[in-house]
Amino acid sequence: MSYSSPLSRPEGHRLFVWLGVAAALGTLLGVALIPRANEAGTSSTSAGVELYGRLLPSDGNAPATALARVRERIGGWFHLELPDGGTQRVSYGALGVELDRARLRRLVEDARDPASLLSERHRHRAPRGPVELVVPVRLDPLRAWPTLLSLKDDLDQTARDARLDLDRNALIPERAGRLLDVDRSLRAIEQAVQEGAERSALVFEYRQPRRLAAQLTGIEHGATLGFFETPYDEAARAKDRTFNLRLAASRLDGYVLMPGDEFDFNAVVGPRDEANGYQVAKVIAEGELVDGIGGGTCQVSGTLHAAALFAGLEIVERHPHTRPSSYIKLGFDAAVVYPTINFRLKNPYDFPVVLRETVAAGRVRAEVRGLRRPYTITVVRKIEAARAFEEVQRLDESLPKGVRVLAQRGVPGIDLHRYRIRRDGPHAVRETIVDRYPPTAQLVRIGVGGASTAKARPAHDPQPEYLADELLVMSQPTELDAPLIEQRTPGRFGTPGWTRDIGAPAWEGNP
């Protein structure tokens, strides 16, 4: 990233530090300089009066003391003003502010001919003795940019819509979003430095929330339109993933969709990164389980997707994973990756609906609430076909020669149809969705190391062969706390050994 600024050129703007500093630096350069007062008895440039008064003491050590003070100042702190009235301090060095020694030397050399420092019409007033100089200071934008970008990571905040606090039956107000404008902030800092100021206001662009607290008064949400639950691991080994589950769920819990409104998961939940508090946990990347920031967020979106199916909400955008998920039934998951892969819903009703999602006691529970439950909904999932996976072998020097370890169990590719049937009395509407999950390769590590690596043998992938009912019919009961009603037909895809029957490589471990 590059940035050009007039401050980076010798002829550009400078911070004007008055003659006490120039005298000190001039002495070091072999030229004695002292301040010249104007007729009013002040410095000849009004912008430097206060700074001049602070930097130049009235004792015999003036040059050395002035030089020490200017070094202290440029080596000190510059204050950046925040919108909430607070300040963020950064060092002058972090902003790339430094003495322009080459320019100062030229000024001192020109001072030997004081008339050269004055305009044509004032040269007759040039003094015969020491003259007044400024100390030029330059700001390097290439050093200031990284500092401001680092601040941007901390100071940016997404807009937050107003929503309901369902636990306390209260209203959470909206919050405007803000983005630090690095370009304009840098120009403001340059201007402040030019004027000798020690502080400058940062410049932000603001994003207004879509839903205001005033719009959410009197929302009725006593009826549960749809719900769904998925399990999660409560053990200490999964604490980071559990933390991510709770954090993501808290961002959408109580979100209100007015009639015709869309819910945008990525916009509401926001970035899943360290700046927003997310931890490292397992995520699916190109079919493999790997460590990643925000692991677990997809369980929040998938559980909500399933609840939305039974609530009759319109599924505007939803993407299946690249492999089946262990926590939710095949065809009900919803992959999300900020900001590229999203999950969006739409409220088709003539009344508001409220999203509810909680993480507790080993269960992630999503609910869609509203004024009434218009439909009885049944979801049918039928697996149509499966495709064998391949086995990928990777040589591993950390394992003894000949040792085989199952690093990842393969999962066949699966094609399915999912039907949602909405019934309103004698009338019914059927929607059809086609999902196609690609095969997940089976990964086997083969040892090529020496005998000394015998203690480094890792455990095999604990996941068993993937089983899925060929036909699954699910409907929601009338009672809120009752489980979903399921009718299952295992068929050929729900019977152990089926992956070998379709030609997938079987796992053959060590003797």
PDB file of all heavy atoms in Angstrom, residues 72-99:
ATOM      1  N   GLU A  72      12.387  15.616  23.266  1.00  0.00           N
ATOM      2  CA  GLU A  72      11.419  14.985  24.160  1.00  0.00           C
ATOM      3  C   GLU A  72      10.027  15.009  23.548  1.00  0.00           C
ATOM      4  O   GLU A  72       9.273  14.045  23.621  1.00  0.00           O
ATOM      5  CB  GLU A  72      11.416  15.700  25.505  1.00  0.00           C
ATOM      6  CG  GLU A  72      10.408  15.115  26.496  1.00  0.00           C
ATOM      7  CD  GLU A  72      10.390  15.884  27.801  1.00  0.00           C
ATOM      8  OE1 GLU A  72      11.175  16.852  27.926  1.00  0.00           O
ATOM      9  OE2 GLU A  72       9.590  15.531  28.674  1.00  0.00           O
ATOM     10  N   ARG A  73       9.706  16.127  22.907  1.00  0.00           N
ATOM     11  CA  ARG A  73       8.370  16.245  22.331  1.00  0.00           C
ATOM     12  C   ARG A  73       8.181  15.295  21.160  1.00  0.00           C
ATOM     13  O   ARG A  73       7.216  14.553  21.076  1.00  0.00           O
ATOM     14  CB  ARG A  73       8.123  17.670  21.876  1.00  0.00           C
ATOM     15  CG  ARG A  73       6.698  17.822  21.301  1.00  0.00           C
ATOM     16  CD  ARG A  73       6.417  19.208  20.835  1.00  0.00           C
ATOM     17  NE  ARG A  73       5.086  19.240  20.295  1.00  0.00           N
ATOM     18  CZ  ARG A  73       4.688  20.074  19.372  1.00  0.00           C
ATOM     19  NH1 ARG A  73       5.535  20.957  18.881  1.00  0.00           N
ATOM     20  NH2 ARG A  73       3.452  20.054  18.929  1.00  0.00           N
ATOM     21  N   ILE A  74       9.143  15.284  20.243  1.00  0.00           N
ATOM     22  CA  ILE A  74       9.018  14.421  19.077  1.00  0.00           C
ATOM     23  C   ILE A  74       9.172  12.957  19.483  1.00  0.00           C
ATOM     24  O   ILE A  74       8.686  12.069  18.804  1.00  0.00           O
ATOM     25  CB  ILE A  74      10.043  14.830  18.001  1.00  0.00           C
ATOM     26  CG1 ILE A  74       9.710  16.234  17.497  1.00  0.00           C
ATOM     27  CG2 ILE A  74      10.061  13.856  16.842  1.00  0.00           C
ATOM     28  CD1 ILE A  74      10.661  16.767  16.458  1.00  0.00           C
ATOM     29  N   GLY A  75       9.814  12.710  20.578  1.00  0.00           N
ATOM     30  CA  GLY A  75       9.907  11.350  21.088  1.00  0.00           C
ATOM     31  C   GLY A  75       8.774  11.005  22.027  1.00  0.00           C
ATOM     32  O   GLY A  75       8.768   9.923  22.616  1.00  0.00           O
ATOM     33  N   GLY A  76       7.799  11.891  22.171  1.00  0.00           N
ATOM     34  CA  GLY A  76       6.696  11.670  23.105  1.00  0.00           C
ATOM     35  C   GLY A  76       5.440  11.156  22.425  1.00  0.00           C
ATOM     36  O   GLY A  76       5.494  10.356  21.504  1.00  0.00           O
ATOM     37  N   TRP A  77       4.292  11.667  22.863  1.00  0.00           N
ATOM     38  CA  TRP A  77       3.010  11.113  22.447  1.00  0.00           C
ATOM     39  C   TRP A  77       2.189  12.139  21.670  1.00  0.00           C
ATOM     40  O   TRP A  77       2.168  13.319  22.009  1.00  0.00           O
ATOM     41  CB  TRP A  77       2.206  10.647  23.658  1.00  0.00           C
ATOM     42  CG  TRP A  77       2.877   9.588  24.456  1.00  0.00           C
ATOM     43  CD1 TRP A  77       3.512   9.738  25.653  1.00  0.00           C
ATOM     44  CD2 TRP A  77       2.998   8.216  24.117  1.00  0.00           C
ATOM     45  NE1 TRP A  77       4.030   8.553  26.093  1.00  0.00           N
ATOM     46  CE2 TRP A  77       3.722   7.593  25.163  1.00  0.00           C
ATOM     47  CE3 TRP A  77       2.567   7.435  23.038  1.00  0.00           C
ATOM     48  CZ2 TRP A  77       4.010   6.229  25.154  1.00  0.00           C
ATOM     49  CZ3 TRP A  77       2.853   6.077  23.029  1.00  0.00           C
ATOM     50  CH2 TRP A  77       3.572   5.498  24.076  1.00  0.00           C
ATOM     51  N   PHE A  78       1.497  11.640  20.651  1.00  0.00           N
ATOM     52  CA  PHE A  78       0.514  12.430  19.915  1.00  0.00           C
ATOM     53  C   PHE A  78      -0.849  11.830  20.245  1.00  0.00           C
ATOM     54  O   PHE A  78      -1.009  10.606  20.283  1.00  0.00           O
ATOM     55  CB  PHE A  78       0.772  12.345  18.405  1.00  0.00           C
ATOM     56  CG  PHE A  78      -0.079  13.271  17.592  1.00  0.00           C
ATOM     57  CD1 PHE A  78       0.322  14.587  17.376  1.00  0.00           C
ATOM     58  CD2 PHE A  78      -1.265  12.843  17.038  1.00  0.00           C
ATOM     59  CE1 PHE A  78      -0.453  15.446  16.624  1.00  0.00           C
ATOM     60  CE2 PHE A  78      -2.056  13.690  16.286  1.00  0.00           C
ATOM     61  CZ  PHE A  78      -1.649  15.007  16.083  1.00  0.00           C
ATOM     62  N   HIS A  79      -1.834  12.685  20.494  1.00  0.00           N
ATOM     63  CA  HIS A  79      -3.131  12.218  20.980  1.00  0.00           C
ATOM     64  C   HIS A  79      -4.172  12.245  19.858  1.00  0.00           C
ATOM     65  O   HIS A  79      -4.393  13.285  19.223  1.00  0.00           O
ATOM     66  CB  HIS A  79      -3.589  13.068  22.159  1.00  0.00           C
ATOM     67  CG  HIS A  79      -2.669  12.973  23.338  1.00  0.00           C
ATOM     68  ND1 HIS A  79      -2.818  12.029  24.328  1.00  0.00           N
ATOM     69  CD2 HIS A  79      -1.555  13.687  23.661  1.00  0.00           C
ATOM     70  CE1 HIS A  79      -1.853  12.169  25.224  1.00  0.00           C
ATOM     71  NE2 HIS A  79      -1.069  13.168  24.845  1.00  0.00           N
ATOM     72  N   LEU A  80      -4.810  11.103  19.644  1.00  0.00           N
ATOM     73  CA  LEU A  80      -5.855  10.965  18.632  1.00  0.00           C
ATOM     74  C   LEU A  80      -7.208  10.956  19.337  1.00  0.00           C
ATOM     75  O   LEU A  80      -7.461  10.125  20.219  1.00  0.00           O
ATOM     76  CB  LEU A  80      -5.657   9.674  17.843  1.00  0.00           C
ATOM     77  CG  LEU A  80      -4.309   9.559  17.116  1.00  0.00           C
ATOM     78  CD1 LEU A  80      -4.136   8.163  16.536  1.00  0.00           C
ATOM     79  CD2 LEU A  80      -4.195  10.614  16.025  1.00  0.00           C
ATOM     80  N   GLU A  81      -8.078  11.880  18.972  1.00  0.00           N
ATOM     81  CA  GLU A  81      -9.369  12.043  19.636  1.00  0.00           C
ATOM     82  C   GLU A  81     -10.404  11.096  19.036  1.00  0.00           C
ATOM     83  O   GLU A  81     -10.561  10.999  17.814  1.00  0.00           O
ATOM     84  CB  GLU A  81      -9.835  13.486  19.517  1.00  0.00           C
ATOM     85  CG  GLU A  81      -8.879  14.490  20.177  1.00  0.00           C
ATOM     86  CD  GLU A  81      -9.275  15.925  19.911  1.00  0.00           C
ATOM     87  OE1 GLU A  81     -10.213  16.140  19.105  1.00  0.00           O
ATOM     88  OE2 GLU A  81      -8.646  16.826  20.479  1.00  0.00           O
ATOM     89  N   LEU A  82     -11.146  10.391  19.910  1.00  0.00           N
ATOM     90  CA  LEU A  82     -12.154   9.427  19.503  1.00  0.00           C
ATOM     91  C   LEU A  82     -13.548  10.052  19.571  1.00  0.00           C
ATOM     92  O   LEU A  82     -13.768  11.028  20.301  1.00  0.00           O
ATOM     93  CB  LEU A  82     -12.095   8.197  20.403  1.00  0.00           C
ATOM     94  CG  LEU A  82     -10.726   7.489  20.463  1.00  0.00           C
ATOM     95  CD1 LEU A  82     -10.783   6.329  21.428  1.00  0.00           C
ATOM     96  CD2 LEU A  82     -10.316   7.035  19.085  1.00  0.00           C
ATOM     97  N   PRO A  83     -14.521   9.494  18.851  1.00  0.00           N
ATOM     98  CA  PRO A  83     -15.872  10.086  18.836  1.00  0.00           C
ATOM     99  C   PRO A  83     -16.552  10.111  20.196  1.00  0.00           C
ATOM    100  O   PRO A  83     -17.385  10.976  20.456  1.00  0.00           O
ATOM    101  CB  PRO A  83     -16.638   9.172  17.866  1.00  0.00           C
ATOM    102  CG  PRO A  83     -15.589   8.526  17.030  1.00  0.00           C
ATOM    103  CD  PRO A  83     -14.395   8.377  17.917  1.00  0.00           C
ATOM    104  N   ASP A  84     -16.204   9.169  21.092  1.00  0.00           N
ATOM    105  CA  ASP A  84     -16.857   9.119  22.396  1.00  0.00           C
ATOM    106  C   ASP A  84     -16.223  10.056  23.415  1.00  0.00           C
ATOM    107  O   ASP A  84     -16.566  10.035  24.598  1.00  0.00           O
ATOM    108  CB  ASP A  84     -16.846   7.694  22.936  1.00  0.00           C
ATOM    109  CG  ASP A  84     -15.436   7.127  23.073  1.00  0.00           C
ATOM    110  OD1 ASP A  84     -14.461   7.884  22.841  1.00  0.00           O
ATOM    111  OD2 ASP A  84     -15.297   5.937  23.410  1.00  0.00           O
ATOM    112  N   GLY A  85     -15.278  10.891  22.974  1.00  0.00           N
ATOM    113  CA  GLY A  85     -14.631  11.823  23.888  1.00  0.00           C
ATOM    114  C   GLY A  85     -13.322  11.319  24.448  1.00  0.00           C
ATOM    115  O   GLY A  85     -12.574  12.091  25.062  1.00  0.00           O
ATOM    116  N   GLY A  86     -13.010  10.053  24.248  1.00  0.00           N
ATOM    117  CA  GLY A  86     -11.750   9.518  24.722  1.00  0.00           C
ATOM    118  C   GLY A  86     -10.617   9.847  23.760  1.00  0.00           C
ATOM    119  O   GLY A  86     -10.815  10.470  22.715  1.00  0.00           O
ATOM    120  N   THR A  87      -9.427   9.422  24.120  1.00  0.00           N
ATOM    121  CA  THR A  87      -8.263   9.649  23.268  1.00  0.00           C
ATOM    122  C   THR A  87      -7.448   8.365  23.157  1.00  0.00           C
ATOM    123  O   THR A  87      -7.485   7.519  24.054  1.00  0.00           O
ATOM    124  CB  THR A  87      -7.355  10.769  23.813  1.00  0.00           C
ATOM    125  OG1 THR A  87      -6.901  10.418  25.128  1.00  0.00           O
ATOM    126  CG2 THR A  87      -8.076  12.099  23.843  1.00  0.00           C
ATOM    127  N   GLN A  88      -6.748   8.243  22.062  1.00  0.00           N
ATOM    128  CA  GLN A  88      -5.812   7.148  21.838  1.00  0.00           C
ATOM    129  C   GLN A  88      -4.450   7.784  21.575  1.00  0.00           C
ATOM    130  O   GLN A  88      -4.308   8.577  20.644  1.00  0.00           O
ATOM    131  CB  GLN A  88      -6.247   6.317  20.626  1.00  0.00           C
ATOM    132  CG  GLN A  88      -5.326   5.176  20.284  1.00  0.00           C
ATOM    133  CD  GLN A  88      -5.545   3.966  21.165  1.00  0.00           C
ATOM    134  OE1 GLN A  88      -6.676   3.610  21.447  1.00  0.00           O
ATOM    135  NE2 GLN A  88      -4.475   3.345  21.598  1.00  0.00           N
ATOM    136  N   ARG A  89      -3.469   7.468  22.390  1.00  0.00           N
ATOM    137  CA  ARG A  89      -2.179   8.106  22.193  1.00  0.00           C
ATOM    138  C   ARG A  89      -1.243   7.181  21.418  1.00  0.00           C
ATOM    139  O   ARG A  89      -1.235   5.973  21.624  1.00  0.00           O
ATOM    140  CB  ARG A  89      -1.551   8.514  23.520  1.00  0.00           C
ATOM    141  CG  ARG A  89      -1.100   7.385  24.414  1.00  0.00           C
ATOM    142  CD  ARG A  89      -0.415   7.929  25.659  1.00  0.00           C
ATOM    143  NE  ARG A  89       0.243   6.863  26.404  1.00  0.00           N
ATOM    144  CZ  ARG A  89       1.016   7.066  27.464  1.00  0.00           C
ATOM    145  NH1 ARG A  89       1.214   8.305  27.903  1.00  0.00           N
ATOM    146  NH2 ARG A  89       1.587   6.053  28.091  1.00  0.00           N
ATOM    147  N   VAL A  90      -0.495   7.787  20.512  1.00  0.00           N
ATOM    148  CA  VAL A  90       0.520   7.068  19.741  1.00  0.00           C
ATOM    149  C   VAL A  90       1.781   7.908  19.752  1.00  0.00           C
ATOM    150  O   VAL A  90       1.727   9.140  19.898  1.00  0.00           O
ATOM    151  CB  VAL A  90       0.062   6.804  18.291  1.00  0.00           C
ATOM    152  CG1 VAL A  90      -1.156   5.910  18.244  1.00  0.00           C
ATOM    153  CG2 VAL A  90      -0.214   8.102  17.563  1.00  0.00           C
ATOM    154  N   SER A  91       2.902   7.275  19.599  1.00  0.00           N
ATOM    155  CA  SER A  91       4.148   8.026  19.600  1.00  0.00           C
ATOM    156  C   SER A  91       4.330   8.745  18.262  1.00  0.00           C
ATOM    157  O   SER A  91       3.809   8.322  17.231  1.00  0.00           O
ATOM    158  CB  SER A  91       5.331   7.083  19.831  1.00  0.00           C
ATOM    159  OG  SER A  91       5.496   6.215  18.721  1.00  0.00           O
ATOM    160  N   TYR A  92       5.052   9.861  18.311  1.00  0.00           N
ATOM    161  CA  TYR A  92       5.385  10.557  17.069  1.00  0.00           C
ATOM    162  C   TYR A  92       6.143   9.621  16.132  1.00  0.00           C
ATOM    163  O   TYR A  92       5.971   9.661  14.915  1.00  0.00           O
ATOM    164  CB  TYR A  92       6.219  11.795  17.363  1.00  0.00           C
ATOM    165  CG  TYR A  92       5.412  12.988  17.816  1.00  0.00           C
ATOM    166  CD1 TYR A  92       5.155  13.212  19.167  1.00  0.00           C
ATOM    167  CD2 TYR A  92       4.910  13.888  16.897  1.00  0.00           C
ATOM    168  CE1 TYR A  92       4.421  14.300  19.594  1.00  0.00           C
ATOM    169  CE2 TYR A  92       4.168  14.986  17.300  1.00  0.00           C
ATOM    170  CZ  TYR A  92       3.922  15.192  18.659  1.00  0.00           C
ATOM    171  OH  TYR A  92       3.188  16.269  19.053  1.00  0.00           O
ATOM    172  N   GLY A  93       6.989   8.785  16.719  1.00  0.00           N
ATOM    173  CA  GLY A  93       7.751   7.854  15.890  1.00  0.00           C
ATOM    174  C   GLY A  93       6.841   6.892  15.147  1.00  0.00           C
ATOM    175  O   GLY A  93       7.099   6.552  13.993  1.00  0.00           O
ATOM    176  N   ALA A  94       5.763   6.409  15.795  1.00  0.00           N
ATOM    177  CA  ALA A  94       4.836   5.493  15.138  1.00  0.00           C
ATOM    178  C   ALA A  94       4.100   6.160  13.989  1.00  0.00           C
ATOM    179  O   ALA A  94       3.625   5.487  13.076  1.00  0.00           O
ATOM    180  CB  ALA A  94       3.836   4.948  16.155  1.00  0.00           C
ATOM    181  N   LEU A  95       3.992   7.488  14.040  1.00  0.00           N
ATOM    182  CA  LEU A  95       3.370   8.231  12.954  1.00  0.00           C
ATOM    183  C   LEU A  95       4.391   8.670  11.906  1.00  0.00           C
ATOM    184  O   LEU A  95       4.047   9.349  10.939  1.00  0.00           O
ATOM    185  CB  LEU A  95       2.645   9.464  13.504  1.00  0.00           C
ATOM    186  CG  LEU A  95       1.408   9.184  14.355  1.00  0.00           C
ATOM    187  CD1 LEU A  95       0.893  10.477  14.977  1.00  0.00           C
ATOM    188  CD2 LEU A  95       0.324   8.506  13.538  1.00  0.00           C
ATOM    189  N   GLY A  96       5.648   8.321  12.128  1.00  0.00           N
ATOM    190  CA  GLY A  96       6.675   8.695  11.163  1.00  0.00           C
ATOM    191  C   GLY A  96       7.060  10.158  11.229  1.00  0.00           C
ATOM    192  O   GLY A  96       7.541  10.720  10.240  1.00  0.00           O
ATOM    193  N   VAL A  97       6.853  10.821  12.378  1.00  0.00           N
ATOM    194  CA  VAL A  97       7.216  12.235  12.536  1.00  0.00           C
ATOM    195  C   VAL A  97       8.654  12.318  13.023  1.00  0.00           C
ATOM    196  O   VAL A  97       9.017  11.723  14.031  1.00  0.00           O
ATOM    197  CB  VAL A  97       6.274  12.940  13.534  1.00  0.00           C
ATOM    198  CG1 VAL A  97       6.700  14.389  13.734  1.00  0.00           C
ATOM    199  CG2 VAL A  97       4.843  12.879  13.037  1.00  0.00           C
ATOM    200  N   GLU A  98       9.486  13.048  12.288  1.00  0.00           N
ATOM    201  CA  GLU A  98      10.888  13.167  12.659  1.00  0.00           C
ATOM    202  C   GLU A  98      11.446  14.499  12.150  1.00  0.00           C
ATOM    203  O   GLU A  98      10.851  15.149  11.277  1.00  0.00           O
ATOM    204  CB  GLU A  98      11.688  12.014  12.056  1.00  0.00           C
ATOM    205  CG  GLU A  98      11.598  11.940  10.553  1.00  0.00           C
ATOM    206  CD  GLU A  98      12.269  10.704   9.985  1.00  0.00           C
ATOM    207  OE1 GLU A  98      12.573   9.778  10.752  1.00  0.00           O
ATOM    208  OE2 GLU A  98      12.488  10.673   8.764  1.00  0.00           O
ATOM    209  N   LEU A  99      12.564  14.887  12.721  1.00  0.00           N
ATOM    210  CA  LEU A  99      13.233  16.101  12.260  1.00  0.00           C
ATOM    211  C   LEU A  99      13.752  15.912  10.842  1.00  0.00           C
ATOM    212  O   LEU A  99      14.339  14.887  10.514  1.00  0.00           O
ATOM    213  CB  LEU A  99      14.417  16.434  13.181  1.00  0.00           C
ATOM    214  CG  LEU A  99      14.081  16.891  14.602  1.00  0.00           C
ATOM    215  CD1 LEU A  99      15.354  16.997  15.412  1.00  0.00           C
ATOM    216  CD2 LEU A  99      13.333  18.194  14.584  1.00  0.00           C
TER     217      LEU A  99
END
